[in-house]
Each structure stands twice: as structure tokens, then as C-alpha cells.
Amino acid sequence: AQSVSQHNHHVILSEAASLELGCNYSYGGTVNLFWYVQYPGQHLQLLLKYFSGDPLVKGIKGFEAEFIKSKFSFNLRKPSVQWSDTAEYFCAVNARDTGRRALTFGSGTRLQVQP
Amino acid sequence: EPEVTQTPSHQVTQMGQEVILRCVPISNHLYFYWYRQILGQKVEFLVSFYNNEISEKSEIFDDQFSVERPDGSNFTLKIRSTKLEDSAMYFCASSLQGANYGYTFGSGTRLTVV
């Protein structure tokens, strides 16, 4: 079974700082990869997803992620964070070659951006 | 932007009682899901539903749980006899058919079992 590790549980940044959140998964087959964001009191929203093609994926709100297959990683980046990016960020993986559609989530990273 | 709607937003129930959590998926979506998040823990997959039947379920989804799409619009999760450990946020999601899908999640129902 696949698993997802997000090693940074809580990240505190100042506005305009650059962000990189780590995500590693364990699964040897073909995967779909996702990043979701959960703003305080709100539902999970899709930031970006990778299915195939260009391993550098651009999402909403200036976020991007890079799939590095050799490292089983899908790290999330943003060059300059804003206070409004304060939220919890979840990486998720789906084992596409199994035909399953269930997502396996990481434990999340809480991002706190200080003004 | 289309939304997945969940009701109620918060439900408190006594241990042993049955609860039904309701969801209205996006109208042209064909796959429906329930996930849960126990406070402070990961979001966990419970079940997926397609073509009026369960297509996948996790180990969590035991005989106490059931899902139904009674009227072509609502998608419900029933817990027959709630336990304290069922207290969690329950998220409904839906997605299109096809390989290049993405989930849309609802805002969740916080279930508190007392």
C-alpha cells in the first residue's frame, strides 16, 4: 500500500519569504499526485495535481510543485508567501496503475505566515 | 464554481445512535467519496461509489457504515451504531469520470459522539 510523508509539521514564515513543503510517497508504480490546501474553517481545496507530462506543475495562487520520480517526491513551492497563505497543506497520492481512485493523504503541514 | 454541499455542518449524537450524513455532489460528477479526519490526524479514505455501487472501501469502512444514493442527487453516509471513536470530520467528495480527474471536496460535517 502507498503512504505519504510530509516531514514539516509546522512551518512559520514571514511574508515574502519563499516556501518549500516536502512530500515523499512510497509506491513503486504509476501515481497521480495532488496538493490540497485547507484554510481555517474551510474545506479542502485543490491547489494542483500531476498526472503525466511536464513534471513541473503550476497551480492556483502562484503555487507550483515538482515531481521527481527518482526521489519519490512532489514538493510544493511558492516564491513569495502572503499572510493569506496561512493554512494547512496536504499532499496526496493515488496509485493510478491499480485502477483505484482512493487518495492517500499525508499528515499535513501547517503554514503560518506572519505579517 | 460548482460546490459539493454537506449537511449538517455539525452533528452531536449519543453513542449507539444511528447518524446519517448528507452530501450533494456536483451534478455532472459520477464518482462519489467519503473521507474522514479525526482531530489532529490524517485525512483517511472511507469509500468510493460509482454506478450505484461501492467501487472501493477501506478497512475503516466496516459493517457499521453504509452509503446510498437514494434519489440521484443526494449521497449519504450512515453509521449504524456510533462509537466514541467515530468522532471526526467527515468529508464528501465527487469527481468526474476519466483519467484526468480531480476531486472536489465538501466543507465537511463535524460528528461528535458523546
Side-chain angles (χ1 to χ4, degrees), chain A residues 2 25-34 50-52 67 69 72 93-97:
Chain A
Q2 60 270 29
Y25 66 92
S26 64
Y27 182 70
T30 306
V31 293
N32 295 327
L33 295 156
F34 305 81
Y50 172 81
F51 283 74
S52 63
F67 171 47
K69 189 174 180 179
F72 298 89
V93 66
N94 160 256
R96 179 153 50 110
D97 54 0

mmCIF file of all heavy atoms in Angstrom, chain A residues 2 25-34 50-52 67 69 72 93-97:
data_model
loop_
_atom_site.group_PDB
_atom_site.id
_atom_site.type_symbol
_atom_site.label_atom_id
_atom_site.label_comp_id
_atom_site.label_asym_id
_atom_site.label_seq_id
_atom_site.Cartn_x
_atom_site.Cartn_y
_atom_site.Cartn_z
ATOM 1 N N GLN A 2 0.329 2.300 -0.565
ATOM 2 C CA GLN A 2 1.134 3.515 -0.635
ATOM 3 C C GLN A 2 1.011 4.302 0.655
ATOM 4 O O GLN A 2 0.065 4.157 1.411
ATOM 5 C CB GLN A 2 0.697 4.383 -1.829
ATOM 6 C CG GLN A 2 -0.748 4.834 -1.796
ATOM 7 C CD GLN A 2 -1.663 3.859 -2.486
ATOM 8 O OE1 GLN A 2 -1.401 2.667 -2.521
ATOM 9 N NE2 GLN A 2 -2.757 4.332 -3.053
ATOM 10 N N TYR A 25 6.455 10.042 -1.184
ATOM 11 C CA TYR A 25 5.488 8.949 -1.174
ATOM 12 C C TYR A 25 6.234 7.637 -1.368
ATOM 13 O O TYR A 25 7.360 7.601 -1.870
ATOM 14 C CB TYR A 25 4.433 9.149 -2.262
ATOM 15 C CG TYR A 25 4.987 9.050 -3.665
ATOM 16 C CD1 TYR A 25 4.990 7.846 -4.346
ATOM 17 C CD2 TYR A 25 5.533 10.171 -4.291
ATOM 18 C CE1 TYR A 25 5.517 7.752 -5.621
ATOM 19 C CE2 TYR A 25 6.056 10.080 -5.562
ATOM 20 C CZ TYR A 25 6.054 8.879 -6.224
ATOM 21 O OH TYR A 25 6.594 8.783 -7.476
ATOM 22 N N SER A 26 5.583 6.589 -0.949
ATOM 23 C CA SER A 26 6.161 5.271 -1.159
ATOM 24 C C SER A 26 5.188 4.453 -1.982
ATOM 25 O O SER A 26 4.108 4.088 -1.509
ATOM 26 C CB SER A 26 6.442 4.573 0.180
ATOM 27 O OG SER A 26 5.250 4.350 0.866
ATOM 28 N N TYR A 27 5.561 4.273 -3.215
ATOM 29 C CA TYR A 27 4.810 3.406 -4.120
ATOM 30 C C TYR A 27 5.623 3.283 -5.391
ATOM 31 O O TYR A 27 6.047 4.290 -5.954
ATOM 32 C CB TYR A 27 3.416 3.975 -4.429
ATOM 33 C CG TYR A 27 2.601 3.065 -5.329
ATOM 34 C CD1 TYR A 27 2.116 1.859 -4.848
ATOM 35 C CD2 TYR A 27 2.342 3.398 -6.656
ATOM 36 C CE1 TYR A 27 1.397 1.011 -5.672
ATOM 37 C CE2 TYR A 27 1.626 2.551 -7.482
ATOM 38 C CZ TYR A 27 1.154 1.357 -6.980
ATOM 39 O OH TYR A 27 0.439 0.510 -7.791
ATOM 40 N N GLY A 28 5.841 2.093 -5.833
ATOM 41 C CA GLY A 28 6.727 1.886 -6.961
ATOM 42 C C GLY A 28 6.081 2.021 -8.325
ATOM 43 O O GLY A 28 6.775 2.065 -9.342
ATOM 44 N N GLY A 29 4.778 2.111 -8.359
ATOM 45 C CA GLY A 29 4.081 2.141 -9.638
ATOM 46 C C GLY A 29 3.778 3.561 -10.089
ATOM 47 O O GLY A 29 4.361 4.526 -9.618
ATOM 48 N N THR A 30 2.829 3.667 -10.980
ATOM 49 C CA THR A 30 2.445 4.961 -11.560
ATOM 50 C C THR A 30 1.493 5.677 -10.615
ATOM 51 O O THR A 30 0.534 5.084 -10.118
ATOM 52 C CB THR A 30 1.759 4.744 -12.914
ATOM 53 O OG1 THR A 30 2.598 3.952 -13.743
ATOM 54 C CG2 THR A 30 1.486 6.072 -13.589
ATOM 55 N N VAL A 31 1.766 6.944 -10.385
ATOM 56 C CA VAL A 31 0.976 7.688 -9.424
ATOM 57 C C VAL A 31 0.371 8.950 -10.016
ATOM 58 O O VAL A 31 0.882 9.517 -10.977
ATOM 59 C CB VAL A 31 1.813 8.080 -8.185
ATOM 60 C CG1 VAL A 31 2.212 6.857 -7.372
ATOM 61 C CG2 VAL A 31 3.049 8.879 -8.599
ATOM 62 N N ASN A 32 -0.724 9.359 -9.431
ATOM 63 C CA ASN A 32 -1.246 10.719 -9.565
ATOM 64 C C ASN A 32 -0.936 11.417 -8.249
ATOM 65 O O ASN A 32 -1.051 10.817 -7.183
ATOM 66 C CB ASN A 32 -2.760 10.723 -9.784
ATOM 67 C CG ASN A 32 -3.154 10.072 -11.092
ATOM 68 O OD1 ASN A 32 -2.447 10.130 -12.083
ATOM 69 N ND2 ASN A 32 -4.313 9.430 -11.092
ATOM 70 N N LEU A 33 -0.559 12.671 -8.323
ATOM 71 C CA LEU A 33 -0.139 13.403 -7.128
ATOM 72 C C LEU A 33 -0.925 14.692 -7.001
ATOM 73 O O LEU A 33 -1.227 15.351 -8.010
ATOM 74 C CB LEU A 33 1.362 13.706 -7.203
ATOM 75 C CG LEU A 33 2.249 12.460 -7.184
ATOM 76 C CD1 LEU A 33 3.591 12.743 -7.829
ATOM 77 C CD2 LEU A 33 2.436 11.978 -5.761
ATOM 78 N N PHE A 34 -1.235 15.057 -5.792
ATOM 79 C CA PHE A 34 -2.086 16.212 -5.521
ATOM 80 C C PHE A 34 -1.537 17.002 -4.333
ATOM 81 O O PHE A 34 -0.944 16.437 -3.420
ATOM 82 C CB PHE A 34 -3.511 15.765 -5.152
ATOM 83 C CG PHE A 34 -4.184 14.864 -6.155
ATOM 84 C CD1 PHE A 34 -3.905 13.504 -6.185
ATOM 85 C CD2 PHE A 34 -5.110 15.376 -7.052
ATOM 86 C CE1 PHE A 34 -4.530 12.663 -7.093
ATOM 87 C CE2 PHE A 34 -5.741 14.536 -7.964
ATOM 88 C CZ PHE A 34 -5.449 13.191 -7.980
ATOM 89 N N TYR A 50 -0.728 16.452 -10.480
ATOM 90 C CA TYR A 50 0.137 15.904 -11.512
ATOM 91 C C TYR A 50 -0.396 14.540 -11.923
ATOM 92 O O TYR A 50 -0.609 13.670 -11.081
ATOM 93 C CB TYR A 50 1.590 15.763 -11.024
ATOM 94 C CG TYR A 50 2.438 15.014 -12.009
ATOM 95 C CD1 TYR A 50 2.980 15.655 -13.121
ATOM 96 C CD2 TYR A 50 2.668 13.642 -11.876
ATOM 97 C CE1 TYR A 50 3.734 14.963 -14.049
ATOM 98 C CE2 TYR A 50 3.413 12.945 -12.800
ATOM 99 C CZ TYR A 50 3.941 13.610 -13.887
ATOM 100 O OH TYR A 50 4.672 12.919 -14.815
ATOM 101 N N PHE A 51 -0.574 14.390 -13.245
ATOM 102 C CA PHE A 51 -0.987 13.094 -13.773
ATOM 103 C C PHE A 51 0.082 12.532 -14.689
ATOM 104 O O PHE A 51 0.408 11.356 -14.611
ATOM 105 C CB PHE A 51 -2.310 13.213 -14.528
ATOM 106 C CG PHE A 51 -3.512 13.321 -13.630
ATOM 107 C CD1 PHE A 51 -3.782 14.492 -12.935
ATOM 108 C CD2 PHE A 51 -4.370 12.252 -13.458
ATOM 109 C CE1 PHE A 51 -4.869 14.596 -12.088
ATOM 110 C CE2 PHE A 51 -5.468 12.344 -12.621
ATOM 111 C CZ PHE A 51 -5.708 13.514 -11.939
ATOM 112 N N SER A 52 0.597 13.360 -15.581
ATOM 113 C CA SER A 52 1.635 12.926 -16.514
ATOM 114 C C SER A 52 2.191 14.166 -17.188
ATOM 115 O O SER A 52 1.713 15.276 -16.984
ATOM 116 C CB SER A 52 1.074 11.960 -17.561
ATOM 117 O OG SER A 52 0.095 12.596 -18.344
ATOM 118 N N PHE A 67 7.505 17.110 -9.588
ATOM 119 C CA PHE A 67 7.528 15.664 -9.414
ATOM 120 C C PHE A 67 8.919 15.175 -9.786
ATOM 121 O O PHE A 67 9.358 15.375 -10.927
ATOM 122 C CB PHE A 67 6.466 15.029 -10.306
ATOM 123 C CG PHE A 67 6.509 13.530 -10.380
ATOM 124 C CD1 PHE A 67 6.614 12.762 -9.236
ATOM 125 C CD2 PHE A 67 6.415 12.883 -11.604
ATOM 126 C CE1 PHE A 67 6.650 11.381 -9.303
ATOM 127 C CE2 PHE A 67 6.446 11.492 -11.688
ATOM 128 C CZ PHE A 67 6.556 10.741 -10.535
ATOM 129 N N LYS A 69 10.591 11.722 -9.930
ATOM 130 C CA LYS A 69 10.251 10.309 -9.812
ATOM 131 C C LYS A 69 11.337 9.532 -9.079
ATOM 132 O O LYS A 69 11.030 8.666 -8.259
ATOM 133 C CB LYS A 69 10.026 9.717 -11.210
ATOM 134 C CG LYS A 69 9.471 8.313 -11.196
ATOM 135 C CD LYS A 69 9.139 7.844 -12.599
ATOM 136 C CE LYS A 69 8.574 6.433 -12.575
ATOM 137 N NZ LYS A 69 8.227 5.957 -13.933
ATOM 138 N N PHE A 72 10.884 10.001 -5.479
ATOM 139 C CA PHE A 72 9.518 9.781 -4.989
ATOM 140 C C PHE A 72 9.019 11.036 -4.262
ATOM 141 O O PHE A 72 8.429 10.948 -3.183
ATOM 142 C CB PHE A 72 9.466 8.557 -4.047
ATOM 143 C CG PHE A 72 9.856 7.278 -4.712
ATOM 144 C CD1 PHE A 72 11.179 6.867 -4.753
ATOM 145 C CD2 PHE A 72 8.902 6.489 -5.325
ATOM 146 C CE1 PHE A 72 11.550 5.685 -5.390
ATOM 147 C CE2 PHE A 72 9.258 5.300 -5.968
ATOM 148 C CZ PHE A 72 10.580 4.913 -5.998
ATOM 149 N N VAL A 93 -1.618 11.103 -2.740
ATOM 150 C CA VAL A 93 -1.196 10.271 -3.869
ATOM 151 C C VAL A 93 -2.289 9.255 -4.182
ATOM 152 O O VAL A 93 -3.020 8.809 -3.298
ATOM 153 C CB VAL A 93 0.139 9.573 -3.557
ATOM 154 C CG1 VAL A 93 -0.023 8.570 -2.413
ATOM 155 C CG2 VAL A 93 0.675 8.848 -4.777
ATOM 156 N N ASN A 94 -2.369 8.932 -5.453
ATOM 157 C CA ASN A 94 -3.272 7.888 -5.905
ATOM 158 C C ASN A 94 -2.471 6.921 -6.767
ATOM 159 O O ASN A 94 -1.716 7.357 -7.637
ATOM 160 C CB ASN A 94 -4.429 8.517 -6.676
ATOM 161 C CG ASN A 94 -5.135 7.537 -7.569
ATOM 162 O OD1 ASN A 94 -4.959 7.534 -8.782
ATOM 163 N ND2 ASN A 94 -5.918 6.669 -6.973
ATOM 164 N N ALA A 95 -2.641 5.646 -6.513
ATOM 165 C CA ALA A 95 -1.918 4.625 -7.276
ATOM 166 C C ALA A 95 -2.677 4.353 -8.562
ATOM 167 O O ALA A 95 -3.581 3.512 -8.623
ATOM 168 C CB ALA A 95 -1.789 3.356 -6.442
ATOM 169 N N ARG A 96 -2.314 5.107 -9.599
ATOM 170 C CA ARG A 96 -3.107 5.104 -10.827
ATOM 171 C C ARG A 96 -3.124 3.745 -11.520
ATOM 172 O O ARG A 96 -4.137 3.338 -12.081
ATOM 173 C CB ARG A 96 -2.552 6.169 -11.779
ATOM 174 C CG ARG A 96 -3.255 6.255 -13.112
ATOM 175 C CD ARG A 96 -3.152 7.634 -13.683
ATOM 176 N NE ARG A 96 -1.802 8.134 -13.690
ATOM 177 C CZ ARG A 96 -1.079 8.316 -14.778
ATOM 178 N NH1 ARG A 96 -1.575 7.988 -15.939
ATOM 179 N NH2 ARG A 96 0.126 8.813 -14.707
ATOM 180 N N ASP A 97 -2.017 3.029 -11.447
ATOM 181 C CA ASP A 97 -1.953 1.779 -12.203
ATOM 182 C C ASP A 97 -2.749 0.651 -11.556
ATOM 183 O O ASP A 97 -2.887 -0.425 -12.142
ATOM 184 C CB ASP A 97 -0.503 1.355 -12.436
ATOM 185 C CG ASP A 97 0.299 1.281 -11.145
ATOM 186 O OD1 ASP A 97 -0.258 1.564 -10.071
ATOM 187 O OD2 ASP A 97 1.486 0.940 -11.223
#
